[in-house]
C-alpha cells in the first residue's frame, strides 16, 4: 500500500502474507494510521517509509530556544471517536483548552462560553441577545439543506453570528463560512459541543509519536517518487505492492492519480511571539468581533501548557491569512490584546498554503475511498476536513483491503 503526505512525507508498509504485500502510506499518522494498526492486527508485517525525519507530517512540533511551536495552531479533540478507538489520549499528557473564548470589541474583551461551564457569559448582550444564542441550539437540531452555506443558516443569529460565530468559525474552516457546506459546519459545531479540544503538554508531536509507536518498523528519510501499477518507486528503492493506498493531501493525490475532483484548499500563517508580560492568563482563544485586521485568532498557548515556554516567558500563537505581514500582525495583536507588542519577539512563522480542504457548499460529505483495482485514497479530503475524517477514512480503507483478502 503506497501513499504521500501533505509535505511529501511517505510511509510504507511491507506485509509478508502470501502473496507478499507491500504497503507505503504517506501521512500514516492521520489517515494511514488506521490502515497500519488494522494491518498489524491482521498479522501483516508493516514497514513504514517516511520521507521526513519524524512521523506526523504537519502534526508535529519544533523546539526553538526553549519554546514549543506546533506547525500551525492545532487543537486535538480528545473525544473524536477515532482517537478513542486508538486509546491514545492517556499516552500524551493531554491538557484540555478552556471552553470559553474571548471576543475583542472596541477596547474590551468579552467572554462567551459553553453554558454548561460558564452560563453567565450568555447574558452579555455585547455578544448577542439570548434569543440569538438560543437560535444556535435550534440550528444544531435542524437539518440544513444541501444548497445552504454555514452563513446562510447562521446569519439570522445577528450579532451572535457576526461578532462571535463568524470569526470563530473562520478559524475552524480557514475560509469564510459563506464558502462552507452547512451540513458539514453543523457536524463540526456539534463536535465542539460534545468534544474536549486541547493539546498534549509537550506539543502536538506527542500525538504523532504515540501513534507511530504502534508501528513496528519505520524507515525515515525515504521519499516515494512515482507509482506505476503495482510498482512504487522511492528514493530507497523500488517496491511491488499488492495494494496501494495514497494517504496524502488532495493536490498530491491528484498529481499522482489524476483524480477528477480536487477540493479547494485553505491556507494560513501561524506566528509565534514571545513576551515577558502575559496579555491573557486564561488560555482562552481570542477572535476579533470587528474584523479590524488580518488575524483570524490568537491565543497565549503557554497558558494552556506551561511547557510551551520557558518559565519567565509567554508564547503567543496567532493565525492569519496568507497575505498578512508581520507589521500588520503586530498592529492587530496590539488592538485585540490591548497591549503594546513592540517588544514581542518573533520565535517562528509557519506558512501553510494547503492547510485544510474546503468543504464547499453541496459537496458530498464522503468521497470514494477505492479509486481503482487495489488502489485506495484516504485523507480528510475523502471524508470531512478534520482529524476524525482523516482517521475514519483510514479505517474504511483498512476494512476494504482486509475484507477483500478474506
Amino acid at each position: 500500500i503506497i501513499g504521500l503526505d501533505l509535505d511529501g512525507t511517505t510511509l510504507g508498509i511491507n506485509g509478508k502474507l502470501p502473496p507478499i504485500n507491500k504497503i507505503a502510506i504517506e501521512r500514516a499518522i492521520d489517515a494511514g494510521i488506521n490502515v497500519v494498526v488494522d494491518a498489524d492486527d491482521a498479522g501483516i508485517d508493516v514497514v513504514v517509509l517516511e520521507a521526513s525525519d519524524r512521523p506526523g507530517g504537519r502534526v508535529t512540533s519544533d523546539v526553538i530556544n526553549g519554546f514549543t511551536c506546533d506547525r500551525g495552531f492545532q487543537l486535538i479533540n480528545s473525544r473524536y471517536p477515532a482517537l478513542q478507538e486508538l486509546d491514545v489520549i492517556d499516552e500524551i499528557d493531554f491538557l484540555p483548552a478552556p471552553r470559553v473564548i474571548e471576543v475583542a470589541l472596541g477596547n474590551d474583551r468579552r467572554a462567551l462560553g459553553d453554558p454548561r461551564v460558564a452560563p453567565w457569559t450568555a447574558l452579555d448582550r455585547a455578544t448577542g441577545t439570548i434569543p440569538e444564542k438560543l437560535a444556535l441550539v435550534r440550528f444544531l437540531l435542524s437539518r440544513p439543506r444541501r444548497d445552504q452555506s454555514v452563513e446562510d443558516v447562521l446569519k439570522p443569529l445577528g450579532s451572535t453570528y457576526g461578532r462571535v460565530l463568524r470569526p470563530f468559525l473562520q478559524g475552524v474552516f480557514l475560509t469564510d463560512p459563506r464558502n462552507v457546506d452547512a451540513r458539514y459546519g453543523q457536524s463540526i459545531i456539534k463536535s465542539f459541543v460534545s468534544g474536549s479540544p486541547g493539546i498534549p503538554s509537550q506539543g502536538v508531536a506527542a500525538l504523532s509519536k504515540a501513534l507511530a509507536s504502534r508501528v513496528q518498523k519505520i524507515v525515515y528519510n525515504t521519499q516515494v517518487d512515482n507509482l506505476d501499477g503495482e510498482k512504487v518507486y522511492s528514493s530507497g528503492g523500488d517496491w511491488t505492492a499488492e495494494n496501494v493506498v495514497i494517504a496524502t493531501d488532495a493536490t498530491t493525490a491528484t498529481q499522482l492519480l489524476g483524480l477528477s475532483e480536487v477540493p479547494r484548499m485553505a491556507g494560513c500563517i501561524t506566528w509565534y511571539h514571545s513576551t515577558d508580560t502575559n496579555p491573557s492568563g486564561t488560555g482562552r482563544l481570542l477572535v476579533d468581533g470587528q474584523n479590524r485586521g488580518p488575524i483570524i485568532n490568537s491565543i497565549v498557548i503557554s497558558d494552556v501548557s506551561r511547557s510551551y515556554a520557558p518559565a519567565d516567558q509567554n508564547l503567543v500563537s496567532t493565525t492569519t491569512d496568507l497575505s498578512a505581514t508581520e507589521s500588520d500582525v503586530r498592529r492587530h495583536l496590539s488592538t485585540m490584546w490591548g497591549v503594546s507588542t513592540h517588544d514581542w519577539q518573533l520565535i517562528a512563522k509557519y506558512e501553510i498554503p494547503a492547510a485544510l480542504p474546503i468543504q464547499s457548499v453541496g459537496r458530498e460529505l464522503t468521497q470514494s475511498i477505492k479509486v481503482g483495482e487495489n488502489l485506495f485514497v484516504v485523507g480528510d479530503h475523502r471524508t470531512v476536513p478534520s482529524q476524525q475524517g482523516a482517521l475514519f477514512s483510514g479505517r474504511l480503507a483498512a476494512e476494504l483491503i482486509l475484507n477483500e483478502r478474506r
Side-chain angles (χ1 to χ4, degrees):
I1 304 177
I2 306 295
L4 304 171
D5 194 14
L6 279 171
D7 56 359
T9 307
T10 313
L11 306 171
I13 305 173
N14 179 12
K16 295 181 179 177
L17 288 180
I20 292 178
N21 250 359
K22 294 194 177 178
I23 305 172
I25 303 177
E26 195 171 357
R27 203 185 186 188
I29 309 307
D30 266 351
I33 188 62
N34 274 347
V35 184
V36 176
V37 170
D38 286 356
D40 270 339
D41 289 346
I44 300 176
D45 184 24
V46 178
V47 176
V48 175
L49 307 180
E50 167 64 72
S52 179
D53 61 352
R54 68 184 85 174
R58 193 165 66 83
V59 187
T60 192
S61 314
D62 299 307
V63 178
I64 304 171
N65 298 327
F67 296 92
T68 298
C69 300
D70 298 328
R71 292 191 183 176
F73 171 59
Q74 304 172 56
L75 291 180
I76 296 166
N77 191 334
S78 65
R79 293 182 185 165
Y80 273 149
L83 291 175
Q84 293 286 311
E85 289 173 8
L86 290 165
D87 196 23
V88 71
I89 296 301
D90 289 342
E91 301 174 28
I92 61 175
D93 192 17
F94 179 81
L95 301 173
R99 299 188 67 85
V100 177
I101 68 168
E102 292 183 345
V103 183
L105 295 168
N107 296 323
D108 297 327
R109 301 202 304 269
R110 314 303 284 258
L112 182 63
D114 185 334
R116 295 168 296 184
V117 297
W120 61 90
T121 63
L123 303 177
D124 188 351
R125 292 182 60 87
T127 57
T129 66
I130 294 294
E132 289 173 347
K133 292 163 184 170
L134 289 174
L136 176 61
V137 178
R138 290 196 294 272
F139 162 66
L140 295 177
L141 297 175
S142 70
R143 298 188 64 178
R145 298 195 314 269
R146 178 189 174 92
D147 63 347
Q148 289 181 303
S149 72
V150 170
E151 182 162 288
D152 290 336
V153 294
L154 291 182
K155 197 170 184 178
L157 274 64
S159 55
T160 295
Y161 174 70
R163 293 181 176 183
V164 183
L165 291 175
R166 184 180 180 276
F168 172 75
L169 291 174
Q170 186 160 357
V172 175
F173 306 137
L174 296 181
T175 187
D176 194 294
R178 70 166 68 101
N179 301 324
V180 179
D181 187 273
R183 299 166 299 166
Y184 162 68
Q186 183 188 63
S187 70
I188 292 298
I189 296 172
K190 285 182 176 179
S191 77
F192 280 110
V193 173
S194 62
S196 177
I199 55 175
S201 66
Q202 302 299 318
V204 298
L207 175 62
S208 297
K209 292 175 182 176
L211 294 176
S213 70
R214 287 155 165 75
V215 183
Q216 295 183 11
K217 301 176 185 177
I218 303 180
V219 180
Y220 294 100
N221 301 306
T222 301
Q223 173 74 49
V224 169
D225 301 314
N226 193 20
L227 305 174
D228 183 9
E230 294 184 351
K231 294 290 292 185
V232 179
Y233 301 95
S234 79
S235 60
D238 300 341
W239 301 71
T240 300
E242 181 180 318
N243 292 287
V244 176
V245 175
I246 308 297
T248 93
D249 67 285
T251 302
T252 303
T254 299
Q255 291 171 345
L256 283 170
L257 303 173
L259 298 177
S260 59
E261 181 186 0
V262 185
R264 290 186 297 146
M265 301 296 291
C268 67
I269 302 175
T270 298
W271 309 74
Y272 288 97
H273 291 91
S274 68
T275 172
D276 296 339
T277 305
N278 191 337
S280 174
T282 66
R284 295 172 180 171
L285 188 76
L286 177 66
V287 300
D288 188 353
Q290 295 172 291
N291 193 27
R292 291 169 288 183
I295 292 176
I296 298 171
N297 57 51
S298 185
I299 185 173
V300 181
I301 196 69
S302 55
D303 281 344
V304 182
S305 172
R306 275 307 315 166
S307 299
Y308 270 62
D312 58 344
Q313 293 286 304
N314 304 280
L315 185 65
V316 182
S317 172
T318 303
T319 303
T320 70
D321 61 37
L322 290 168
S323 65
T325 65
E326 190 185 1
S327 60
D328 289 339
V329 171
R330 285 181 180 271
R331 282 194 292 269
H332 199 188
L333 281 169
S334 181
T335 298
M336 291 174 64
W337 286 112
V339 298
S340 172
T341 59
H342 291 303
D343 60 348
W344 288 20
Q345 299 298 309
L346 179 65
I347 302 299
K349 172 187 175 184
Y350 295 95
E351 294 189 31
I352 311 167
L356 194 67
I358 298 174
Q359 188 71 29
S360 302
V361 177
R363 186 171 186 266
E364 293 298 332
L365 298 183
T366 58
Q367 310 295 316
S368 177
I369 299 297
K370 186 172 183 178
V371 296
E373 186 68 23
N374 299 324
L375 182 61
F376 304 83
V377 180
V378 299
D380 56 6
H381 55 93
R382 307 306 294 178
T383 50
V384 292
S386 66
Q387 293 165 347
Q388 169 64 21
L391 288 161
F392 177 67
S393 71
R395 171 56 55 84
L396 288 179
E399 290 178 353
L400 287 170
I401 291 168
L402 295 175
N403 284 340
E404 289 182 359
R405 293 183 59 81
R406 294 190 178 109

